[in-house]
Amino acid sequence: MNIDIIAGARPNFMKIASIINAIKSKSFKNKISYRLIHTGQHYDANMSESFFKQLNIPSPHYNLESGSGSQAEQTSKIMIGYENILINQNVDCCLVVGDVTSTLACSIVAKKLNVKVAHIEAGIRSGDMTMPEEINRIVTDSISDYFFTTSDNANKSLLRQGVNPKNIFFVGNTMIDTLLANKSNFSKPSIWGKAKLKDKEYLIMTLHRPANVDDSKKLKKFIIETINNSNEKPIIFPMHPRTKKQFLKLGINNSNFYPIDPLGYFEFNYLVERCMAVITDSGGITEETTVMDVPCMTLRDNTERPETIEMGTNMLLGTNPSAIEPALKKLFLGEWKSGKVPPLWDGKAGLRIAEQLIKIL
Ligand code: UD1
């Protein structure tokens, strides 16, 4: 069986790492052969290469080098690049993960060439059509053949759309596979010493959604509100390239606030595991904090991962910066909820995916 595995942007890499490990594991060896296609959507060393190194992901067979651009530019470059390598190839299935531009672009190309599409992390929905990711999820799920899901909410939303239940496979969470498999590799970043961090005595903040960072006044308010209500605890702020560009215009200089470049996977999760709380607009981090039982405050109005709120440690604060003060008060009073790990987020999703692929293809 030949499959193509697509990865393009930072949150894809932890997901494919678990699937590739499963395919190469003793139980499935020689049953599935794969080509890894890197679309090049993320290309900075600390947004891409460092994840390949740390997570032992083999070098991609192809790199489409799509680079940056508008949504349409990026999508079209990836589509043309992938079509060029898929045409005239005997591939049984194209496996796409998550909800990034690369996921959408490659699923369309594969489907139009009559190649089956398997979507990992299918069925999740925020209901927010202003997010490019929501459009990517809906389009990808509307043409996929096989749906691998992380939660019962996702199963239900696929059933509501009329997906045949036979093609829905509730397998768990590949991002969590990678987190659990690498816990012993988490390592102290240099900021630990520089900021004199102590266990459970600092906060982490990450922001990268266009809606939160493209307006520099809004970005400034989020940061100032966090600094003003942080009880003088250090705040570590690893910046996505988009955020860094805006942050540099703000002139924020506070001795407890540490803006830094994006961290490696081992270094970032070392910090998350030991922090008091994470303030973020990421989706993936809400899953990781749930599993590590770390309080998480999400600066968004909605989430496609409701189980992180219903069962986990996450709370939606919305996008009004004034919501940060009461949330941090609650945290410092020791009143933050403790969470439970959602079903099947047990480190074995990749193995379940490999097993199913062999059965269905
Ligand atoms: C993408 C995903 C988002 C995910 C995020 C994680 C889509 C639609 N969005 O958003 O779901 O949460 O990745 O990081 O796919 N840039 C660099 N170096 C890089 C990559 C990007 O400087 O290696 C710059 C680009 O020039 C651009 C900005 O970062 O200005 C945004 O990159 P882009 O790939 O368009 O989307 P993300 O915001 O990263």
Side-chain angles (χ1 to χ4, degrees):
M1 182 204 310
N2 297 310
I3 65 171
D4 277 353
I5 298 177
I6 311 294
R10 184 169 59 178
N12 291 165
F13 305 134
M14 14 324 207
K15 294 171 195 170
I16 60 150
S18 132
I19 298 167
I20 293 175
N21 281 339
I23 288 175
K24 293 193 333 194
S25 69
K26 254 199 244 143
S27 339
F28 304 110
K29 221 171 189 167
N30 302 326
K31 292 193 174 146
I32 305 178
S33 88
Y34 72 93
R35 301 186 303 182
L36 175 57
I37 321 283
H38 190 323
T39 66
Q41 181 179 342
H42 284 175
Y43 45 86
D44 284 358
N46 56 18
M47 297 293 284
S48 171
E49 197 188 322
S50 100
F51 293 85
F52 277 76
K53 276 197 194 136
Q54 291 195 333
L55 301 178
N56 239 335
I57 305 172
S59 296
H61 297 80
Y62 295 91
N63 191 323
L64 307 181
E65 294 179 356
S66 64
S68 302
S70 69
Q71 291 287 317
E73 277 168 343
Q74 240 176 9
T75 308
S76 54
K77 277 194 239 165
I78 297 169
M79 286 182 75
I80 294 167
Y82 185 44
E83 191 181 55
N84 279 336
I85 58 170
L86 189 57
I87 219 154
N88 302 324
Q89 298 277 335
N90 191 13
V91 170
D92 300 300
C93 182
C94 167
L95 191 148
V96 294
V97 299
D99 55 16
V100 303
T101 303
S102 307
T103 313
L104 166 85
C106 293
S107 61
I108 295 176
V109 170
K111 194 66 189 169
K112 289 200 167 183
L113 290 173
N114 290 323
V115 171
K116 299 276 187 211
V117 175
H119 184 201
I120 313 299
E121 206 184 87
I124 64 174
R125 295 287 184 273
S126 67
D128 179 352
M129 292 297 279
T130 67
M131 290 174 72
E133 292 84 353
E134 184 71 354
I135 300 164
N136 297 343
R137 291 177 198 121
I138 292 173
V139 176
T140 303
D141 283 342
S142 73
I143 56 174
S144 288
D145 297 279
Y146 308 114
F147 304 80
F148 293 91
T149 61
T150 51
S151 69
D152 200 38
N153 291 311
N155 299 335
K156 285 184 184 139
S157 98
L158 291 170
L159 291 173
R160 273 198 301 275
Q161 283 163 63
V163 172
N164 184 339
K166 277 195 199 140
N167 295 329
I168 303 175
F169 307 98
F170 179 27
V171 288
N173 192 322
T174 53
M175 202 172 204
I176 300 306
D177 290 359
T178 297
L179 186 81
L180 298 177
N182 286 287
K183 267 195 157 194
S184 59
N185 296 323
F186 292 172
S187 60
K188 203 181 271 186
S190 58
I191 191 67
W192 186 275
K194 277 186 212 147
K196 300 196 177 70
L197 301 183
K198 293 191 199 113
D199 270 19
K200 302 292 165 194
E201 292 284 337
Y202 62 94
L203 300 167
I204 301 176
M205 185 170 197
T206 81
L207 294 171
H208 75 284
R209 303 236 163 251
N212 283 342
V213 306
D214 285 355
D215 172 355
S216 56
K217 278 191 205 139
K218 193 167 178 191
L219 175 62
K220 189 168 188 174
K221 278 191 196 149
F222 280 134
I223 295 174
I224 297 292
E225 200 63 22
T226 304
I227 293 174
N228 289 347
N229 292 289
S230 60
N231 278 0
E232 301 192 355
K233 304 283 184 210
I235 304 158
I236 310 302
F237 187 55
M239 293 181 290
H240 182 283
R242 177 200 292 284
T243 312
K244 186 174 181 181
K245 234 186 269 170
Q246 293 291 63
F247 177 79
L248 294 176
K249 299 181 200 159
L250 300 180
I252 293 178
N253 193 356
N254 179 287
S255 57
N256 290 322
F257 188 75
Y258 295 87
I260 56 173
D261 280 335
L263 290 166
Y265 184 78
F266 294 162
E267 290 76 15
F268 182 70
N269 284 299
Y270 183 97
L271 287 187
V272 172
E273 202 179 16
R274 290 162 182 79
C275 73
M276 289 189 87
V278 180
I279 304 170
T280 189
D281 62 6
S282 155
I285 293 175
T286 67
E287 297 183 340
E288 292 166 341
T289 47
T290 279
V291 170
M292 290 192 266
D293 203 18
V294 168
C296 183
M297 305 173 188
T298 296
L299 295 174
R300 284 178 52 191
D301 295 316
N302 44 59
T303 176
E304 58 291 334
R305 295 164 163 93
E307 56 285 348
T308 63
I309 297 172
E310 291 153 9
M311 287 182 223
T313 54
N314 184 25
M315 222 180 107
L316 272 189
L317 300 194
T319 50
N320 187 335
S322 66
I324 293 174
E325 179 179 358
L328 283 174
K329 276 208 173 116
K330 193 173 170 151
L331 177 77
F332 291 128
L333 286 170
E335 289 173 0
W336 205 266
K337 61 181 173 173
S338 201
K340 273 201 303 223
V341 177
L344 299 190
W345 291 17
D346 58 358
K348 296 184 183 139
L351 292 170
R352 293 188 191 103
I353 291 169
E355 198 179 351
Q356 282 303 336
L357 284 175
I358 289 166
K359 277 191 203 155
I360 55 186
L361 293 171

